[in-house]
Amino acid sequence: MDKRTFLKVSALTSAAIVVNPFVACNSPADSKEEKETTTTSEFSLPALDYGFDALAPNIDARTMEIHHDRHHAGYVRKLNAALAGTTFAGMSLNDIMANVGEDDTAIRNNGGGHYNHSLFWKIMGPNAGGNPTGKLSEAINAAFGSYEDFQTQFSTAAKGVFGSGWAWLCAGADSKLFITGTPNQDNPLMSKIAEQPGTPIMGIDVWEHAYYLNYQNKRGDYVTNFFNVINWEAVAANYDQIG
């Protein structure tokens, strides 16, 4: 190869790397491995129905981004790894929740993290808040006396969770509503673990990563502002599915 040809080939190679900087570092084997990793996972991270900034100022965009893309994604990744070779492999997420026990630590923690957050994103939304209506409103009034009394009791439960955990609005087997709290990533669907089993229709994450960037140690302010982003139509739909 003469000097002129060498310089021409070198220039074309350099240009290709500038246009696609990953050409030089992704081998066919890497691409195949990445493809297999993504297609064999049992569960995947659900996309949000709104932008990271859609719940601001009640929940800031940076918190939403870290919470969804890092924390929730981590639970999904670790859940898929923990399921491999177990009797839980192939089960639906709801069935995993119903059958998980105290000794199933990795599946309990990460499966709960995936279930809890998947519900959490759905029951919030932009231009939300206000009061529930219809059948759900009647059920809340029947269980708690009034919507205002429900707000007080739910807020008290959320603020009272020691350390990290969740507060829930649930329906029992008789469809009657009740409020409860769970530690860590437990939830009331875990009938072998939960003190008061039931079906969650709404929950609030009170782990510090859910609010600390904006609220620091003021969990109460976060809980108060959470009511501004509750999508009551989604909560009502969850209640309707119970029957």
Side-chain angles (χ1 to χ4, degrees):
M1 182 183 296
D2 58 32
K3 182 176 181 181
R4 178 176 297 177
T5 304
F6 173 80
L7 292 174
K8 183 177 180 180
V9 171
S10 299
L12 289 172
T13 303
S14 300
I17 293 174
V18 170
V19 172
N20 187 356
F22 299 106
V23 169
C25 60
N26 275 353
S27 66
D30 292 334
S31 300
K32 181 181 179 181
E33 181 180 353
E34 182 179 341
K35 183 177 180 181
E36 289 177 350
T37 300
T38 29
T39 55
T40 56
S41 296
E42 285 199 46
F43 296 103
S44 58
L45 179 68
L48 293 177
D49 295 330
Y50 41 81
F52 292 131
D53 61 348
L55 307 184
N58 301 289
I59 304 178
D60 62 281
R62 185 60 174 156
T63 293
M64 288 295 297
E65 180 182 6
I66 294 172
H67 199 170
H68 179 269
D69 287 6
R70 299 188 193 178
H71 289 282
H72 191 174
Y75 290 124
V76 173
R77 184 179 64 254
K78 293 174 186 176
L79 172 61
N80 287 328
L83 288 171
T86 71
T87 57
F88 293 96
M91 286 187 181
S92 70
L93 190 56
N94 278 34
D95 285 343
I96 291 173
M97 296 297 96
N99 288 280
V100 74
E102 290 186 0
D103 295 333
D104 304 307
T105 306
I107 295 174
R108 172 186 179 181
N109 291 339
N110 294 293
H114 181 34
Y115 176 91
N116 298 349
H117 286 89
S118 297
L119 177 68
F120 187 54
W121 310 133
K122 289 291 186 181
I123 56 87
M124 297 189 296
N127 305 314
N131 292 12
T133 59
K135 177 183 172 183
L136 177 60
S137 177
E138 293 172 3
I140 287 175
N141 291 338
F144 308 108
S146 68
Y147 175 68
E148 290 72 24
D149 288 337
F150 157 73
Q151 277 188 304
T152 299
Q153 293 178 47
F154 188 83
S155 298
T156 299
K159 296 172 189 176
V161 173
F162 181 77
S164 301
W166 294 73
W168 305 97
L169 175 63
C170 299
D174 57 358
S175 296
K176 185 175 180 180
L177 297 178
F178 66 91
I179 293 168
T180 189
T182 57
N184 302 315
Q185 293 297 349
D186 289 355
N187 63 61
L189 273 186
M190 297 178 179
S191 56
K192 295 182 178 181
I193 297 170
E195 291 185 4
Q196 190 172 6
T199 303
I201 64 171
M202 185 182 84
I204 179 173
D205 187 348
V206 291
W207 283 62
E208 285 188 342
H209 64 237
Y211 62 87
Y212 206 82
L213 289 181
N214 193 31
Y215 294 96
Q216 287 79 53
N217 64 329
K218 299 176 182 177
R219 181 191 287 187
D221 291 349
Y222 161 68
V223 172
T224 297
N225 290 333
F226 170 72
F227 286 93
N228 296 328
V229 298
I230 296 175
N231 180 349
W232 284 112
E233 289 185 4
V235 179
N238 291 339
Y239 185 60
D240 288 342
Q241 289 178 1
I242 296 170

